[in-house]
Amino acid sequence: MPQPNEYKSLTECFLTPAREALLQCSHTRECPELDDWQWIRMGVNRSINDERSGRSFLQDWAMSDESSVGVGHFFETLKSARRLQLLEELNSMLAGSMPSHPDSLIDTLEELRVIDIYAGDGHYHAAGTHDAPIKGKRRAVGHFYTLNYRTHALTHLTAADLQGGRKKSEHDMHALKRMSSGQLRQGAAKGRQVLYVWDCAGTDMRQWYKWKQAAGVYFLSRAKDLMKITCFGEIEFDREDPINAGVLADQHAATETSGVMMRYIRYQCPRTGTEYEFITNHMKIRPGVIAWLYLRRWDIEKTYDTFKNKLSETKAWASSMAAKKMQAQFLCLAHNLMVLLESDITGKHDVINHKEIRRCEKRDTQAKQECSQQNRPHSPLLFSNPHRRSQLTLKFIRWLRHHLRAGSLMSQALQSLRRVYAAF
């Protein structure tokens, strides 16, 4: 039986969550030449289209049924502090309202019920065409993003501070320290904890302690090779619990330089036999879950791969700092809208990429066999959801681009996607 929104356009269905969030925003203004809604639609389309330049995108936009927008006018809007505030507000509302993703296992683990969990990392791309060179070279543009484990929502934490070009990059922990506790909590309700899963660039035991005490913000990372860690005793854990399979040790520990107590977990990956050393200041999550959470951090790296290789977002759109931040916010908005649309298509319209699922199941079966051959125990979390993918597929993005340009009805677009999934 057809769903009601099948009679709507794909564009309307895709953008409805952003439209609804915009109606609640406080930073909207009347602008007859380029109203806020058209500007947001343009930014989302600019993020999804594979146009290599702003001029190319604007020409493509003008050749559609939309009203044309001048090059100068569009790039002037990218400098607007008010529009940047609006976009930040809209993204915050949308990301905060996204439901648990169908392939997320977080809600099945009782110990994570009151914790908002984010993978965090920095990402750099090339400078804009008109960025002024510093010492004969244009500086790369950096941003720090987080990916919500439960909802798959992508959020922009901050842009890298290159101090007027005097620095080539900003260290992750330096950027995090510039942020307030409220910013790091990302709107988490009172009583909820926030856990960041970061790579080694996010380690600072003393700062972790301050965030934990002041704001209920925790961190999980890998131990650095040069860390001088002293262990002070074992933490008892259930070795019979299959979730803890692969955990070699769970210990109280501290580094010589910080003196702050933390957990030190040694874990052997069942797939490769590689040993990992994890550190965290959260004391109540099972060590097997800690290991699984860190291994899931790869998802944010795959999101950056989507930016670069699927959305062709490899350079800054414009030169002002406001424009650079807007680009990051638009990428987050486009990503979140695509996640919502794909989940809706799968859950409500039963359009499923069976070939991709079979490929995932085949990889998992091979991995299980390798674990058995090497006599390595593995947590059921590792192979419990063969439907899970770490990034949006290129075939989905190509399909979306095509039907947004064509102005297709949702029913037509769904039939097309079924054919695509069956053939490729």
Side-chain angles (χ1 to χ4, degrees):
M1 182 176 179
Q3 298 289 329
N5 62 2
E6 290 188 21
Y7 301 105
K8 299 179 181 179
S9 69
L10 172 65
T11 300
E12 184 178 359
C13 294
F14 175 56
L15 293 174
T16 290
R19 181 68 166 175
E20 292 175 347
L22 180 65
L23 295 175
Q24 303 176 53
C25 290
S26 61
H27 289 91
T28 56
R29 298 289 186 276
E30 291 292 333
C31 182
E33 293 186 34
L34 179 57
D35 66 54
D36 287 336
W37 177 234
Q38 184 181 9
W39 171 74
I40 287 168
R41 285 163 43 226
M42 291 182 74
V44 171
N45 274 273
R46 176 74 175 90
S47 302
I48 294 173
N49 284 342
D50 52 358
E51 302 289 352
R52 295 288 176 161
S53 71
R55 286 179 177 272
S56 176
F57 163 72
L58 290 169
Q59 181 177 336
D60 182 73
W61 182 270
M63 289 187 297
S64 70
D65 292 334
E66 306 288 348
S67 57
S68 62
V69 176
V71 173
H73 189 190
F74 179 75
F75 281 96
E76 279 299 315
T77 63
L78 291 177
K79 300 177 185 178
S80 169
R82 195 271 303 176
R83 293 201 195 236
L84 175 58
Q85 288 179 317
L86 171 62
L87 192 52
E88 290 170 343
E89 183 184 18
L90 187 149
N91 266 331
S92 178
M93 285 185 177
L94 181 63
S97 66
M98 288 174 66
S100 293
H101 195 272
D103 69 19
S104 172
L105 296 175
I106 300 294
D107 292 332
T108 67
L109 299 168
E110 181 64 22
E111 64 218 272
L112 304 181
R113 183 175 55 85
V114 296
I115 310 175
D116 293 339
I117 307 171
Y118 299 93
D121 202 3
H123 175 63
Y124 283 76
H125 55 227
T129 301
H130 301 291
D131 278 5
I134 299 172
K135 296 182 179 180
K137 190 174 182 179
R138 293 185 177 90
R139 295 286 188 248
V141 181
H143 297 280
F144 296 92
Y145 298 90
T146 60
L147 187 70
N148 188 305
Y149 275 47
R150 183 173 277 104
T151 65
H152 293 198
L154 188 70
T155 50
H156 179 245
L157 282 182
T158 186
D161 180 7
L162 304 185
Q163 297 182 0
R166 294 191 297 276
K167 296 172 62 177
K168 292 183 179 179
S169 62
E170 183 180 22
H171 193 277
D172 297 36
M173 185 50 66
H174 186 272
L176 288 168
K177 286 180 179 178
R178 290 194 284 107
M179 305 187 68
S180 68
S181 297
Q183 289 174 306
L184 288 175
R185 284 191 62 79
Q186 297 201 52
K190 185 178 181 180
R192 291 192 68 82
Q193 300 171 356
V194 176
L195 173 64
Y196 283 98
V197 185
W198 216 280
D199 66 8
C200 297
T203 55
D204 185 325
M205 302 302 109
R206 290 178 180 172
Q207 187 61 48
W208 286 10
Y209 177 79
K210 293 177 183 178
W211 281 324
K212 175 181 175 179
Q213 295 299 110
V217 174
Y218 299 77
F219 274 76
L220 160 62
S221 186
R222 286 182 65 182
K224 295 179 181 179
D225 293 337
L226 298 178
M227 270 184 174
K228 295 181 179 180
I229 295 176
T230 302
C231 296
F232 295 97
E234 300 292 326
I235 299 175
E236 293 296 325
F237 68 94
D238 185 357
R239 293 183 180 274
E240 300 301 317
D241 184 350
I243 296 294
N244 292 326
V247 176
L248 304 177
D250 187 2
Q251 299 170 303
H252 291 291
T255 61
E256 290 184 7
T257 55
S258 72
V260 176
M261 194 64 69
M262 62 182 180
R263 282 173 77 186
Y264 173 66
I265 299 167
R266 291 192 300 112
Y267 172 81
Q268 185 179 46
C269 177
R271 294 176 185 258
T272 63
T274 303
E275 284 194 23
Y276 293 92
E277 298 172 337
F278 303 118
I279 53 175
T280 181
N281 58 347
H282 201 293
M283 308 304 290
K284 295 184 178 180
I285 301 174
R286 282 175 288 178
V289 176
I290 290 288
W292 175 71
L293 288 173
Y294 192 87
L295 295 177
R296 281 282 309 273
R297 203 195 72 82
W298 183 245
D299 288 1
I300 196 168
E301 304 286 357
K302 299 302 289 183
T303 301
Y304 296 156
D305 179 73
T306 296
F307 286 175
K308 178 180 177 182
N309 295 313
K310 296 178 182 178
L311 300 181
S312 301
E313 290 293 337
T314 58
K315 61 186 292 187
W317 293 354
S319 298
S320 71
M321 181 51 67
K324 296 179 193 300
K325 290 180 179 179
M326 272 190 208
Q327 180 180 4
Q329 291 286 348
F330 272 126
L331 285 172
C332 290
L333 180 57
H335 167 91
N336 294 341
L337 290 172
M338 286 191 287
V339 167
L340 286 169
L341 179 65
E342 186 185 46
S343 297
D344 189 67
I345 286 172
T346 301
K348 294 182 181 179
H349 301 281
D350 198 33
V351 181
I352 300 171
N353 190 349
H354 290 289
K355 285 193 172 185
E356 186 66 28
I357 291 173
R358 285 194 290 270
R359 281 193 282 267
C360 292
E361 290 174 339
K362 183 178 179 179
R363 287 195 296 269
D364 278 3
T365 299
Q366 291 174 344
K368 287 179 183 178
Q369 291 173 350
E370 292 172 4
C371 292
S372 298
Q373 291 168 0
Q374 299 296 327
N375 197 28
R376 295 190 188 114
H378 59 80
S379 166
L381 288 173
L382 294 179
F383 305 113
S384 59
N385 189 2
H387 297 196
R388 195 187 77 80
R389 295 189 303 277
S390 56
Q391 61 181 324
L392 295 161
T393 63
L394 185 54
K395 66 182 72 173
F396 174 82
I397 293 173
R398 287 173 177 154
W399 165 83
L400 180 61
R401 282 174 181 154
H402 172 81
H403 289 284
L404 288 177
R405 285 193 181 109
S408 304
L409 290 176
M410 190 65 172
S411 57
Q412 298 169 327
L414 291 173
Q415 290 177 3
S416 170
L417 187 58
R418 288 188 178 96
R419 293 194 297 269
V420 167
Y421 282 167
F424 298 99

